Amino acid sequence: MSHRDGMTKTSSGFFVSQEAPIRTDDPVQTPTSPAPDILRCAYMDLVVTDLAASRQFYVDILGLHVTEEDDDVIYLRSTEEFIHHNLVLRKGPVAAVAAFSYRVRTPEDLDRAVAFYSEIGCRVERRPEGFTKGIGDSVRVEDPLGFPYEFFHQSEHVERLSWRYDLQIPGELVRLDHFNQVTPDVPRAVRHYQDLGFRVTEDIQDEDGTVYAAWMRRKPTVHDTAATGGDGPRMHHVAFATHEKHNILAICDKLGALRRSDAIERGPGRHGVSNAFYLYLRDPDGHRVEIYTQDYYTGDPDNPVITWDVHDNQRRDFWGNPVVPSWYTEASLVLDLDGNPQPVRTREHRSEMAVTIGADGFSYTREGDDEAMPSWKQGEYKLGNQL
Ligand SMILES: [Fe+2]
């Protein structure tokens, strides 16, 4: 049986099928306790080593709005947000992620989160007063994949600034869109997050069924989080949305004018996966931030799952522009509940970089073409060519 049985090839070059054409032979135990009802990714708790440098990057350059701040912590939000914050910058000794935080539908969902994770032996900590300012009763866990996950319902409301055009800049960040997590075993991660209630919207596989990455959603967009295959647990990026493509170009222009073009790691471009327009930046600690806009609605129960071939050079950039190696290899540490970095495990499955830009890698623009891509387009699969 082929791994592509049940998938239909589309005229766009990718495959579609129904829910999750992903199987794992090493599953995390499925809890019998029901999962908490997650609404959406809500905020990231990020440790930075130089708070002033981070403030300049996220506030002065990217224009996130300060809800509150003191000498050690800055609470930031995007334009459309009405909960207290979407990003916490916390001064600390090691640049890392302290929590991937999700909002749940009801206060009772926090009891469900405690039961769900306790049943499978995860470390769980609940604080009725919350872990961060402006957020009430919260549950933090070290999830079975090693990620620090947080769940909360209650949040202080703040003013939604959508109508305050006087405060907005050409590159305005309007919403928190998603997280992206690096994990060694993508099918194991997907199965676990499905148990937690996530739906797969897109993935990248090869013809043998190796899964390189998967995108998963609660809110009806392409994702709230994604699992990217690599050494982990690590944080690949946190993504904010702009309204339109031109807002992303304005961020590039601003970085250029400020002589900060070295903050641009990859893009701007059009993703194949998600169909969104994108830009990847690196903050002063190297944390990766994506600016993202215009993916598509995914809320129907029979939303088709899209599978991209790992060798399709339009999967990660629809214009076929090369992915820089750092984007595949570098990511941020994540912390345990004591604030210590989680140990990083090596990915044993095939690596996307090796099969596409390593010595043996290959990619195609038109499947079935016998001719190699022109030398000036080979950055995707011959490492030296893009230098
Ligand atoms: Fe992303």
Side-chain angles (χ1 to χ4, degrees):
M1 184 180 134
S2 158
H3 284 278
R4 295 202 167 139
D5 285 351
M7 295 185 186
T8 305
K9 183 100 178 264
T10 67
S11 65
S12 299
F14 52 73
F15 300 83
V16 291
S17 59
Q18 281 304 306
E19 182 71 16
I22 296 176
R23 280 166 284 278
T24 177
D25 46 20
D26 183 24
V28 174
Q29 180 195 339
T30 298
T32 58
S33 312
D37 185 354
I38 297 170
L39 293 169
R40 58 167 167 140
C41 62
Y43 79 90
M44 181 171 278
D45 190 352
L46 195 60
V47 181
V48 299
T49 59
D50 181 339
L51 199 56
S54 294
R55 192 186 194 286
Q56 189 195 39
F57 181 79
Y58 288 101
V59 179
D60 300 343
I61 299 177
L62 293 182
L64 284 173
H65 301 278
V66 178
T67 301
E68 280 190 72
E69 62 183 321
D70 59 33
D71 290 343
D72 298 313
V73 193
I74 307 175
Y75 302 88
L76 300 172
R77 71 183 191 275
S78 53
T79 318
E80 292 187 357
E81 192 52 82
F82 67 90
I83 64 169
H84 190 265
H85 52 257
N86 298 129
L87 182 67
V88 176
L89 302 176
R90 180 186 306 287
K91 196 176 165 199
V94 179
V97 175
F100 299 79
S101 185
Y102 294 89
R103 192 160 195 228
V104 296
R105 189 171 298 277
T106 67
E108 293 72 38
D109 283 302
L110 297 179
D111 302 330
R112 292 188 190 99
V114 170
F116 180 89
Y117 287 100
S118 299
E119 184 182 337
I120 53 175
C122 293
R123 184 169 167 199
V124 176
E125 191 179 334
R126 184 168 187 169
R127 285 194 196 165
E129 74 283 14
F131 290 82
T132 60
K133 227 172 179 175
I135 303 290
D137 193 7
S138 304
V139 173
R140 280 195 180 185
V141 304
E142 289 169 11
D143 90 357
L145 309 164
F147 291 97
Y149 259 37
E150 179 184 274
F151 305 93
F152 73 93
H153 172 73
Q154 197 274 325
S155 170
E156 212 172 281
H157 282 202
V158 290
E159 185 176 350
R160 181 174 258 164
L161 297 172
S162 302
W163 292 262
R164 289 297 307 274
Y165 291 104
D166 55 317
L167 300 178
Q168 297 179 26
I169 60 172
E172 190 73 8
L173 305 182
V174 296
R175 284 185 295 277
L176 175 70
D177 194 87
H178 61 266
F179 307 135
N180 188 306
Q181 306 168 232
V182 188
T183 188
D185 186 338
V186 173
R188 178 178 160 85
V190 167
R191 166 71 186 277
H192 170 66
Y193 290 127
Q194 285 175 317
D195 287 344
L196 187 56
F198 284 83
R199 301 281 305 271
V200 175
T201 55
E202 301 203 24
D203 62 46
I204 294 174
Q205 300 191 23
D206 63 19
E207 59 283 9
D208 301 325
T210 298
V211 184
Y212 297 86
W215 285 256
M216 294 164 283
R217 65 104 183 160
R218 285 295 303 173
K219 65 177 157 52
T221 64
V222 169
H223 55 322
D224 287 278
T225 196
T228 297
D231 303 347
R234 292 185 297 165
M235 186 274 284
H236 193 273
H237 60 267
V238 56
F240 288 91
T242 60
H243 278 310
E244 299 183 29
K245 296 186 283 291
H246 67 79
N247 306 111
I248 290 182
L249 301 180
I251 294 169
C252 296
D253 283 339
K254 185 170 184 177
L255 287 164
L258 292 170
R259 287 275 154 190
R260 292 286 293 257
S261 61
D262 51 350
I264 299 176
E265 182 186 35
R266 183 184 153 204
R270 166 81 65 190
H271 280 311
V273 171
S274 81
N275 197 31
F277 205 78
Y278 74 88
L279 171 70
Y280 291 98
L281 306 176
R282 302 293 290 271
D283 85 357
D285 281 295
H287 295 308
R288 185 178 292 106
V289 180
E290 181 180 16
I291 317 297
Y292 177 98
T293 190
Q294 296 172 347
D295 60 357
Y296 58 92
Y297 168 77
T298 61
D300 282 22
D302 54 351
N303 179 65
V305 177
I306 291 175
T307 293
W308 293 82
D309 185 335
V310 72
H311 300 297
D312 181 344
N313 81 323
Q314 297 190 185
R315 73 199 181 287
R316 290 212 178 264
D317 183 285
F318 201 59
W319 309 331
N321 282 327
V323 176
V324 291
S326 62
W327 191 92
Y328 283 123
T329 59
E330 296 177 11
S332 299
L333 294 170
V334 302
L335 301 179
D336 65 21
L337 296 187
D338 295 319
N340 299 312
Q342 287 280 18
V344 172
R345 274 198 310 123
T346 305
R347 175 174 166 90
E348 288 165 9
H349 300 169
R350 272 172 281 189
S351 98
E352 184 170 342
M353 185 169 82
V355 302
T356 56
I357 64 174
D360 301 327
F362 72 93
S363 294
Y364 62 82
T365 297
R366 290 166 296 276
E367 193 172 15
D369 260 10
D370 292 333
E371 287 186 24
M373 288 198 290
S375 59
W376 40 264
K377 201 68 177 172
Q378 291 183 5
E380 175 77 312
Y381 63 97
K382 292 283 185 276
L383 200 52
N385 285 339
Q386 59 204 325
L387 302 175

